[in-house]
Amino acid sequence: MIDKAILRKIEHTAIIAEDGLIVGLIGGVVLFSVIQIVMRLFFNSGFIWADELIKMFVLWATLVASISASRENKHLKIDLISNLIAPQYSMLLQAFNALITSGICIIIAWHAFRFVGLTFDFDEKVLIDIPAWIAYSIIPIAFLLMSFRYLIACIKHLSRYNKPLR
Amino acid sequence: MMILLALLCLVGTPLFAIIAASAMIGYQSEGIDLMALVIEILGLANMPFLSAIPLFTVSGYLLSESGAPKRLVRLTNAMLGWMPCGLAIVSLFACAFFTAFTGASGVTIIAIGAILYPALKTDGYSEKFSLGLITTSGSLGLLFAPSLPLILYGVIAEVSIDDLFKAGLLPGILMLLMLSFYCLWVGRHSSREIKPFNFDELINAFRESAWELPLPIIVLGGIYSGFFAVSEAAAITALYVICIEVLLLKEIKIADLPRLMRESMLLVGGILIVLAVSLASTNYMIDSGVPQQLFFTISSVISDQFTFLALLLLFLLILGAILDIFAAIVLVVPLLLPVANQYGIDEIHLGIIFLSAMQLGYLTPPVGLNLFIASYRFDKSIAAVYAATLPFFAILFISVILITYWPTLTLFLL
């Protein structure tokens, strides 16, 4: 059995990393946007890479926030049925939803991984001279982590489903 | 297969997963490599002005956690409180203004409603009226710049966001005025004392809000004059809000900043991930001619614009009742736009119809966001909140019909 304390520590570190990354990325978007405005207004110029960097930051922030949202199951969904049925069955339904989502995420992660591999082979560049695979690597990582989170959620829901029966 | 996905939708599987699955099934059937989905997700990084959405959301969250809502209520009260039924009208205007600046995520009810609801009851308004008023007001500023749904519609429909901002102005004012007249009508027999206009209070309220007052001027002035792009205005707003609320007024602790940023990004991440995967599914649907088929099917039944608009309204009401406004924009607009074009409906006008109809969705069960937030915040049953909002809903519904069939109102300022 893996030590629970270690697992909890990993979870805790992951949460701090996610939050820190979100703050850093949004802060970066603000910072570089303002720098671009100042450059445009006062020096009539700007950095060619800044706009692309801002857009890349928004993409990263979106994906990191998605990982974060999967932690609390905060993703947008239409939820008509779970309020109408008994809580016990609702648990089962949520476990099912989490399992499906986890499966879909792992498929996307796999194809994203293949895609990143391709950009690595072709030596593609973004932001003038940065290897593209670094910028794109967030996609397989994000979907892999989401898949993992939903798998955990599925197991949690199932374990809760069993409890009231005992 | 698609029926299976629709079923998953109804049982509450996250939308982004269902949409991604539908795109992958489509690709698979056409023999396209599934890597195409990943390339479409990357397309998110090529959308113009997209950074405006996270930045305005962060600013809105910070503002609602600070003392700004209180100051806004005081200022609006000093400006409009002298009117008959003053406080009800103050509620409408303060909420509309705040919603425009904070997106339409329900924070208005929590930030402003929580101040006004007890004040309205103390001022002698019935509980039912107060509850309905605050719940309705929670999404009232949707059509005013720089609200998030407007920006998102502009990004998706690829129309000028500046034009959308101008177009939303008069329809938004129409909604405000119609609700204000309803408040006056309800309060026509009340013996409530009319408070005299107090110039000193106005000056003091202005002074208290001095730091926040430049905000609408920077944002709206900057955008309307063409001085700033929307995304630039959003960046300035975010920086300015952080500077005044965190560093200057110190109403938000620096230690709380990461938590607030994360909370606001959860909403944004949820919207943008749906946008990212639906870039793939809508492109696939457009490539395989779904809009044309849709138009073909509809046009075999409906030939004139009038009936089409009626059908559109009905569809949007149902859509708004089951789907969040942001997801609805992302999923439905790309397919709806070409069809509406065939019926000669202007893209900007369609946007305003879409958003104003979706605004009603905030007040309709089963998933109306405002109903849930008000019920939670004010500890009332959903049914009670729903009953309280009905007259307001009826008025907004009439205004939506006016907006739909009177395009000049929307297009006049363009």
Side-chain angles (χ1 to χ4, degrees), chain A:
Chain A
M1 200 61 202
I2 312 166
D3 194 353
K4 272 194 173 166
I6 296 176
L7 277 181
R8 225 170 277 142
K9 202 163 186 187
I10 294 173
E11 172 82 8
H12 188 67
T13 319
I15 290 173
I16 290 176
E18 272 168 28
D19 291 0
L21 211 52
I22 289 177
V23 173
L25 289 165
I26 293 302
V29 173
V30 175
L31 184 71
F32 285 107
S33 303
V34 172
I35 290 176
Q36 282 295 82
I37 299 168
V38 172
M39 293 292 282
R40 178 171 67 85
L41 292 181
F42 298 106
F43 304 102
N44 212 358
S45 70
F47 300 107
I48 10 166
W49 46 265
D51 284 334
E52 199 187 343
L53 184 71
I54 290 167
K55 285 174 176 171
M56 212 45 98
F57 274 16
V58 173
L59 178 75
W60 273 63
T62 300
L63 288 163
V64 177
S66 289
I67 306 171
S68 209
S70 64
R71 183 163 88 213
E72 291 157 32
N73 198 11
K74 282 261 174 78
H75 276 288
L76 295 183
K77 52 186 174 293
I78 300 174
D79 201 354
L80 291 179
I81 294 179
S82 73
N83 291 327
L84 301 176
I85 55 178
Q88 205 182 342
Y89 295 112
S90 163
M91 280 295 158
L92 208 56
L93 195 62
Q94 289 192 33
F96 170 75
N97 281 332
L99 188 65
I100 294 270
T101 311
S102 175
I104 294 170
C105 285
I106 199 79
I107 298 174
I108 303 174
W110 166 243
H111 291 289
F113 178 73
R114 282 176 55 224
F115 174 76
V116 172
L118 271 188
T119 55
F120 183 80
D121 291 343
F122 286 116
D123 203 18
E124 222 176 283
K125 299 271 198 261
V126 288
L127 294 166
I128 302 173
D129 204 27
I130 311 263
W133 66 268
I134 297 178
Y136 299 162
S137 62
I138 187 67
I139 304 180
I141 293 172
F143 281 99
L144 187 69
L145 287 175
M146 277 195 266
S147 177
F148 178 68
R149 279 262 166 82
Y150 274 105
L151 192 64
I152 300 275
C154 175
I155 295 167
K156 270 188 190 160
H157 286 310
L158 282 180
S159 67
R160 268 184 225 149
Y161 170 72
N162 270 332
K163 264 178 198 158
L165 291 178
R166 269 175 208 161

Side-chain angles (χ1 to χ4, degrees), chain B residues 32-68:
Chain B
I32 302 168
D33 193 306
L34 294 188
M35 265 197 283
L37 175 74
V38 184
I39 298 170
E40 296 282 2
I41 291 174
L42 273 179
L44 192 69
N46 288 322
M47 303 196 93
F49 309 122
L50 202 63
S51 60
I53 293 178
L55 295 180
F56 273 129
T57 313
V58 168
S59 313
Y61 263 73
L62 293 180
L63 278 177
S64 57
E65 285 276 320
S66 71

